[in-house]
Amino acid sequence: MRNVTRRYGWELLLVVLIGLAGIWSSTLSPYFLDPVNLLSSAQFFVIFSLMAFGLFPIVVQGEIDISLASTLAVGSVLFGQLSVAGVPLVMALPVVLGACAILGAVNGFLVAYAGLPSLAVTLGTLGAYRGLAYILAGDVGVTGITPDYLQLASTWVGIVPLAVVMVLVVAVFFWLLMARTAFGRYSYAIGNSAGASLMAGVPVPRTRVLAYTLAGAMAGLAGLVWVSQYQSARGDNADGSILFVLTAVVLGGVSIKGGSGRALGVLLAIILLGTIQTGMKLANVPGTSQTLVIGALLVGSIGIPRSIQLFRQKFGRNKPRASVRPAATVA
Amino acid sequence: MTSTSTDQPRKTLPARLGLSGGAAALKVRFIGVIVFLALLGIAFSALTPRFATLDNGRSILFTAAILAVAAVGQAIVVLTGNLDLSVGAIMGMAAYVIYDIAGQNPVLQPYVVVLAILLGAILGAFNGFLVAVLQIPSIVATLGTLSIYRGFVSFYANATEVTSGQLPPWMRMLATASWFGLPAYVWVALAIVITTAVALRVLPWGRKIYAYGSNPKAARFFGLNSTRIIIGAYVAAGIIAAIAGLLLGAQVGNINSLLASGFEMQVLAAVVIGGVSIWGGSGSVYGAAVGAIVLATINNGLVLLQVQEYYRLLIQGAAIVAAVAVDALVQRRIHSATTRRRIMEVVE
């Protein structure tokens, strides 16, 4: 039992917080806890979740990608245009996911092979891809999406929306990918020390490019969800949503410096953020002020553990013992 | 290189080679920006006759002025190897909150700049605290404060606007004034650029920023207080951003809670294009200001050519990546130059 709390302490904390946020939200509205309401509110967070899972391996590798929302915009506009042009979804899906994967791969190549800092690269492509989306969408955007593209949002599996099922599938996929495959092992190794991983024979650049490519494809998939939910596509789609996405990943216990974090944490963080945001909606907090709370959570989720650590270092009583203990256990 | 080393003293040559290699690369980088600006000017004047006029030159400088001020603040932070994504939010908050308070208490109207300095220092100090004390990576910390500051403004504004009638009349006049043939803002920007450049060069505060930025570890061994340096850089950047916000607000007139949102992209583009290394430690605020003029020129030229607004984003983004790629080459040049020297010294 103690092992479980130790290993999954962060996740347990998230579960407790979700419970508290749920209680708070249900005091605001009696309808909050209605399962149908819960599941249909969950639909609003599908787009963020897909991007967050895409970002997850990149952050584990110690890098970042802030261009994902722009990639989503390109994907959604492409889906819209192909739909209007009469291309069936089965054909459009590989094309658009491929295009978005290429956009991600461009980031990956610039980071992994050209050795540029990921923040600067994706800051540049954040603007560039956004511009591309605007150019593709034109001034008015794309409307008149055909019904086959809209099915994703209107199909329900029992009482569960199909899009929510998709998120669960994606969550399991990323859990397996990061916990059970060589790619996952490599990612954690790179995040802990890229130099040491390279010397140990880990294909560092290839693993990095793969992570960015995958993230691009996930953003493309999120673009499809966007099109199906909003029934239109414009160049400014999802502008600024990277804040929510990055907050979800970091709040999920994925260290921003790389090397640690689990898919379960990311999923729980999304549920927590979703519950809080739904609660704020019920409490009539305006959308722009909601960003204040999300931003505070982003800063707090890293800052509070760090300040506790600092506080302990400074005032903790067992400071001298801490340095001896590891040696003693080894002996 | 190896052939000449025989007829010169062994010790000085590699040292000189190493130094001149790195310094030359940096010099080429700065001259490169100027040459790029000149080429842009030539290209645009060839494409449209309306570009190369005195009036248009003035309008480019006017657009560049506020961007240059904000870029100078950002450059200080980038020199420490960090980033400030909250610059646009600080600008918006300063403009909205200060003009709103001054509009309600006309007594305060002469002191808006003092208020901006206070507010900017507080917001910057919070950024610096998160980055230096809690050691949150600057991108995450300032992305968070971006939304906190912006969220606060929209909470404070409550969907209302500060109208131009509420602004201090002297700020309104400054926005439209023209001194010695140039807009007053250009002179204000020039004063801020030069003051900051001198401060970075002369004051221990500035030297420490460069020292820390070029090698944080060495700076710590040398006894420099990294926490204080980073917070100092963020405080300065916050103050300058707040002043830039006042300038922008006075220019715009009616201020809503979204003023200057997304401005951080342009500011970072200006800084990076201007040759301030994203790795920290090298570059100058003059470069950042020139970078702002480059961006303003591109925008102006594209408007005159009637190119769609969207291409600007694409070009701006590509320019950031290109500038960082060039910086990476310069960095490698310096690195190889300095490591070669070190190896030679060991051999001796």
Side-chain angles (χ1 to χ4, degrees), chain A residues 110 114 116-117 119-120 123-124 127-128 131 134-135 139 243 246 256-257 288-289 291-292 295-296 298-299 302-303 306 310, chain B residues 83 130 133-135 137 139-140 143 147-148 151-152 154-155 265 268 278-279 310-311 313-314 317 321 324-325 328 332:
Chain A
L110 288 168
L116 306 181
L119 174 63
L123 186 72
Y134 273 121
I135 292 166
D139 284 325
L243 173 73
L246 189 62
I256 194 74
K257 296 197 168 146
T288 36
S289 300
T291 58
L292 196 156
L298 173 62
V299 171
I302 313 180
R306 195 65 57 78
L310 281 179
Chain B
L83 275 180
L130 294 178
V133 179
L134 298 187
Q135 292 174 2
I139 160 95
V140 180
L143 189 70
S147 52
I148 294 175
F152 176 81
S154 73
F155 178 71
M265 268 289 287
L268 275 172
I278 202 95
W279 288 271
Y310 314 138
Y311 287 90
L313 278 173
L314 192 69
V321 176
V324 175
R332 240 163 256 173

Side-chain angles (χ1 to χ4, degrees), chain B residues 184-198:
Chain B
Y185 272 21
V186 175
W187 296 109
V188 173
L190 199 65
I192 291 175
V193 170
I194 292 174
T195 312
T196 314
V198 169

Side-chain angles (χ1 to χ4, degrees), chain B residues 54-76:
Chain B
L54 220 55
D55 265 345
N56 195 42
R58 269 192 212 114
S59 112
I60 291 178
L61 287 179
F62 182 65
T63 332
I66 294 170
L67 186 56
V69 172
V72 163
Q74 183 73 254
I76 301 172

Side-chain angles (χ1 to χ4, degrees), chain B residues 35-55:
Chain B
V35 171
F36 182 61
L37 184 59
L39 287 177
L40 268 178
I42 294 169
F44 281 134
S45 5
L47 286 168
T48 163
R50 285 182 299 163
F51 181 80
T53 62
L54 220 55
D55 265 345

Side-chain angles (χ1 to χ4, degrees), chain A residues 133-188:
Chain A
Y134 273 121
I135 292 166
L136 290 170
D139 284 325
V140 289
V142 191
T143 48
I145 313 283
T146 50
D148 53 334
Y149 286 72
L150 307 179
Q151 270 173 5
L152 184 58
S154 52
T155 312
W156 295 63
V157 182
I159 56 161
V160 188
L162 183 62
V164 175
V165 177
M166 192 165 85
V167 169
L168 296 177
V169 172
V170 165
V172 171
F173 171 78
F174 274 91
W175 166 60
L176 291 173
L177 182 74
M178 294 304 282
R180 294 279 183 275
T181 68
F183 170 82
R185 294 285 104 208
Y186 288 159
S187 293
Y188 288 105

